[in-house]
Amino acid sequence: MRFIETIRENIRSRLVQALTLAKDKGELSFSEVPNFNIEIPREKEHGDFAANTAMVMAKEARMAPRKIAEIILSNLDTTGSYIAAAEVAGAGFINFFLNTDWLYQVPGAIHKMGAGYGHVDLGQGEKVQVEFVSANPTGLLHMGNARGGAIGDSLANLLKAAGYQVEKEFYINDAGNQIILLGKSLDARFCQLLGIDTVFPEDGYHGNDITATAKHYIDEYGDALINKPAPEREAELCDYALKEKLASIKEVMGLYGVNFDVWYSERTLHDSGKVRAAVDYLLEKGYAYEKDGAVLLKAERGSDSNEKKPEKGEHVNLEDKDDVLVRANGIPTYFAADIAYHRDKFQRGFDRVINIWGADHHGHVARMKRAVSLFGYDPDKLTVILMQLVRLMRDGEVVKMSKRTGEYVTLEELIDDVGYDAARYFFVMRNPDSAMDFDLNLAKSKTSDNPVFYVQYAHARICSILRQAQAKGFVLPDFAKVDYSVLVKAEELALIHKLAELPEEIASAAESLEPHRLCPYLHDLASAFHSFYRQCRVVDGEEPLRNARLGLAKATAIAIANGLGILGVNAPEEM
RNA sequence: GCGCUCAUAGCUCAGCUGGAUAGAGUGUUUGGCUACGAACCAAAAGGUCGCAGGUUCGAGUCCUGCUGGGCGCACCA
């Protein structure tokens, strides 16, 4: 039930009606009804809604906006609507003031819908895939994964609430050079643990977790593997590590409240021939060509050769460069696998594919979209949300994080330090576009500065109030059927109004793929409740008012729980 | 050098497709618990929205240039 949207559309159609009437009477001249906005003004004195109709048509109508607004108003029929007054204001706005009748349906409706309140049908069952985290199984989960996990999971929840059919996917990078390197690193640790002096690979993974994995293997299978040739040892250890790493990633993601629907292995892309098939397709279509045994994807501008191999660090314009799909040694690149992966996503029937990537991959976006279009899919159906990197701060200094050096704070440690709810809320509340600093000292201090507590506190308070009411022997009525029109104080009406906005907040956040927009809303909602609570006695008082206020409080708890639920944050009954 | 991105209160950040007097939190100052949870409420102070142009009825928001951060430019992933 979109209360506000319904009223907005009602006002819109009445305005259009007024315009047409004015045109028929010859008071206004225009060819087509203009595209105008009806927005909710920031200032209360400007009414509940404001239309810019007169301003946008001033030029064509060759008339002052205020004059046009006057004409529209004189033709406006407000009978049978919630409109109590309408007036011309400012540069030519038409401001609408509603009577409060519409508010009284809201709390009852919320009780009727319960956990479904706030949900809208924007997506109409459209199939969407959200792929996120997709952390390399060569190390532990870090802050970047934490940010991606919070954003991705909330986005998936948000889209579900907005009527989309959503699948959450984790892409397992279990192939390629890094996996070979993982094997070498493991083998070196394995040998070292068995007392054999071994040189650790220069670019190897230095993390303690790699040593731990090697040790686990020895604990489980002994040292027999040492007699096998190195490549065999590396492969065996690598398989073992992948299994262990993946189990650990799943476990920590679970602790973080993120449960993926699909874990998609890069290896299966290669083994099933999908990578080869994608490359062959591009060759057949003439989008790619062979050179010295390698396969290259032609650059967008159509250059068909790469005479000069760019050296590392040399500055090359990406658009002019042909991308390598298969190396001269016959091994496909990450890019080729990723192309095949995205082709596969669309072949699986998703109407829309959303990826959440770290900003360090932004150079990859344009060519991936192009690749999608080469396979005949609409590149606009692929959306890549880039999130800027997380900088970890300790004692005012940046903590360098690197899998290479093995020095980083893990997601698991973070959850231990700051708690599940704070971690989730902290990461999702920020716009992905901006780089964020995560202050470890602040996080570890466990102060209640975190805004998530403010919202949760409101929920816990309401639960407490309801417990109080029952303890005092009041029988709670069916809140869906209570008469809420006894609520007339400003704080009560403001709270109901805020409650009515939830569906719009979900709709607009889903439309722009920005779950973080729910955070300021939830804060405002909690604030409206706290003000109401300060001003109005809830539990005592006379029967009709008491039930209405209890129902209003409970409706607020429902809305908060639904909103927090989308963000993956708990709504505690006590805290 | 080319490209992406960011710049809003002392600090951390919102600001929805351009709308009227730019908002929260935190910090500072000041009031409020012998009534339902003070992890709360009420109020004050705090701004040339990085700089300069442009587009129009109207710009924090769109365009151009500049300054300053972050990131990317491999037969790595």
Side-chain angles (χ1 to χ4, degrees):
Chain A
M1 172 65 84
R2 298 179 65 171
F3 309 103
I4 291 174
E5 190 61 18
T6 305
I7 296 173
R8 192 199 302 265
E9 287 314 309
N10 184 271
I11 291 176
R12 180 181 295 280
S13 66
R14 283 168 192 267
L15 281 170
V16 170
Q17 205 173 25
L19 282 173
T20 323
L21 190 59
K23 189 180 183 182
D24 290 347
K25 285 156 70 176
E27 296 173 2
L28 278 178
S29 84
F30 55 90
S31 54
E32 273 174 43
V33 173
N35 213 351
F36 59 89
N37 287 333
I38 301 173
E39 53 203 26
I40 298 171
R42 195 165 42 217
E43 302 294 324
K44 241 188 167 173
E45 304 82 71
H46 297 147
D48 295 294
F49 290 98
N52 64 353
T53 321
M55 281 124 91
V56 296
M57 62 187 296
K59 195 171 262 179
E60 192 192 349
R62 297 178 161 214
M63 208 181 274
R66 287 191 68 106
K67 177 71 185 158
I68 298 171
E70 296 290 355
I71 293 171
I72 294 172
L73 270 190
S74 69
N75 286 288
L76 189 71
D77 178 16
T78 61
T79 52
S81 75
Y82 291 119
I83 300 169
E87 64 183 30
V88 180
F93 289 100
I94 302 171
N95 291 345
F96 294 90
F97 296 83
L98 306 182
N99 61 44
T100 52
D101 295 350
W102 72 276
L103 291 169
Y104 297 125
Q105 62 177 313
V106 175
I110 293 173
H111 286 287
K112 219 167 285 171
M113 286 178 269
Y117 176 61
H119 292 205
V120 293
D121 195 14
L122 208 65
Q124 304 188 318
E126 197 175 295
K127 275 186 73 180
V128 181
Q129 184 210 50
V130 185
E131 183 224 320
F132 58 106
V133 183
S134 300
N136 284 332
T138 54
L140 303 168
L141 294 168
H142 51 72
M143 293 305 111
N145 302 137
R147 188 174 198 182
I151 294 172
D153 191 53
S154 304
L155 178 61
N157 292 339
L158 176 63
L159 291 174
K160 271 181 206 168
Y164 292 88
Q165 203 181 319
V166 186
E167 242 179 54
K168 294 182 277 189
E169 183 153 313
F170 185 110
Y171 183 53
I172 308 164
N173 298 112
D174 53 1
N177 274 344
Q178 54 173 356
I179 290 307
I180 292 168
L181 196 56
L182 176 65
K184 289 186 191 301
S185 305
L186 284 159
D187 186 45
R189 293 301 185 214
F190 175 74
C191 292
Q192 284 168 359
L193 283 168
L194 295 175
I196 298 164
D197 192 30
T198 312
V199 181
F200 195 80
E202 200 178 332
D203 305 330
Y205 297 102
H206 289 77
N208 294 332
D209 56 301
I210 299 297
T211 314
T213 299
K215 191 169 184 319
H216 294 161
Y217 181 88
I218 295 171
D219 292 346
E220 200 167 328
Y221 297 107
D223 58 2
L225 192 65
I226 200 73
N227 300 316
K228 298 271 176 66
E232 213 169 302
R233 293 201 307 270
E234 289 164 15
E236 166 84 11
L237 286 165
C238 199
D239 280 350
Y240 179 83
L242 283 176
K243 240 177 269 170
E244 184 178 279
K245 288 285 176 202
L246 210 56
S248 151
I249 288 174
K250 278 186 196 183
E251 189 195 332
V252 176
M253 275 293 142
L255 290 175
Y256 199 45
V258 181
N259 297 295
F260 290 94
D261 300 304
V262 176
W263 296 77
Y264 198 100
S265 155
E266 178 184 354
R267 211 178 258 192
T268 63
L269 271 177
H270 293 277
D271 294 348
S272 65
K274 283 177 181 167
V275 177
R276 189 66 235 181
V279 173
D280 286 346
Y281 172 91
L282 294 171
L283 279 169
E284 277 167 33
K285 290 280 183 179
Y287 298 135
Y289 63 96
E290 294 195 64
K291 182 179 166 63
D292 303 332
V295 179
L296 289 92
L297 181 67
K298 285 182 192 171
E300 181 129 39
R301 289 191 189 164
S303 73
D304 59 356
S305 70
N306 248 14
E307 290 308 323
K308 281 194 298 180
K309 260 190 204 173
E311 295 299 316
K312 184 174 178 173
E314 188 186 333
H315 306 306
V316 174
N317 191 338
L318 193 72
E319 289 164 33
D320 294 331
K321 206 187 130 304
D322 296 347
D323 291 303
V324 177
L325 295 173
V326 181
R327 301 180 183 91
N329 64 11
I331 298 174
T333 60
Y334 163 83
F335 183 46
D338 224 13
I339 284 178
Y341 178 44
H342 281 81
R343 182 194 197 191
D344 183 71
K345 289 186 182 190
F346 283 102
Q347 284 175 335
R348 276 188 269 160
F350 291 107
D351 300 305
R352 183 156 193 198
V353 168
I354 299 171
N355 295 341
I356 295 173
W357 287 352
D360 51 340
H361 290 79
H362 70 76
H364 197 48
V365 176
R367 55 181 195 164
M368 186 52 66
K369 280 186 163 254
R370 175 165 174 257
V372 164
S373 71
L374 293 182
F375 285 105
Y377 300 105
D378 179 358
D380 289 338
K381 299 292 184 187
L382 168 67
T383 303
V384 179
I385 295 175
L386 292 173
M387 46 166 199
Q388 297 296 321
L389 304 184
V390 179
R391 277 200 317 178
L392 210 50
M393 306 294 285
R394 180 189 282 134
D395 304 328
E397 305 245 320
V398 178
V399 181
K400 281 277 175 198
M401 293 196 291
S402 160
K403 278 185 185 170
R404 293 290 157 92
T405 61
E407 212 185 297
Y408 49 88
V409 175
T410 68
L411 173 54
E412 197 169 6
E413 288 163 354
L414 181 79
I415 297 171
D416 276 351
D417 282 345
V418 306
Y420 166 88
D421 291 320
R424 284 289 303 250
Y425 198 87
F426 195 91
F427 280 113
V428 80
M429 73 185 285
R430 282 171 163 74
N431 190 327
D433 288 342
S434 0
M436 63 179 281
D437 289 344
F438 197 105
D439 187 329
L440 274 174
N441 301 83
L442 182 70
K444 286 185 181 181
S445 71
K446 291 198 177 181
T447 60
S448 53
D449 295 345
N450 199 308
V452 69
F453 292 124
Y454 183 81
V455 179
Q456 289 183 315
Y457 182 64
H459 187 270
R461 226 181 189 185
I462 294 166
C463 294
S464 169
I465 290 166
L466 291 165
R467 284 192 298 267
Q468 281 284 335
Q470 282 172 303
K472 288 192 179 180
F474 298 131
V475 177
L476 301 186
D478 178 355
F479 286 128
K481 292 180 180 155
V482 165
D483 173 19
Y484 291 96
S485 64
V486 292
L487 304 172
V488 292
K489 294 184 94 164
E491 289 80 4
E492 294 167 326
L493 299 178
L495 177 55
I496 298 173
H497 198 288
K498 211 72 212 167
L499 286 170
E501 292 169 18
L502 180 61
E504 300 317 314
E505 291 293 331
I506 288 177
S508 67
E511 208 161 3
S512 57
L513 307 178
E514 296 177 324
H516 75 272
R517 296 225 317 240
L518 290 181
C519 295
Y521 168 75
L522 286 171
H523 182 275
D524 286 352
L525 177 58
S527 177
F529 173 75
H530 287 308
S531 295
F532 152 76
Y533 175 80
R534 269 286 138 193
Q535 208 61 35
C536 307
R537 287 291 299 172
V538 177
V539 175
D540 301 325
E542 294 304 309
E543 169 81 55
L545 186 60
R546 185 182 68 226
N547 283 341
R549 285 179 173 171
L550 282 169
L552 176 58
K554 184 76 203 306
T556 306
I558 291 170
I560 289 175
N562 293 356
L564 286 179
I566 289 172
L567 301 179
V569 174
N570 292 300
E573 299 194 359
E574 291 174 34
M575 55 191 287

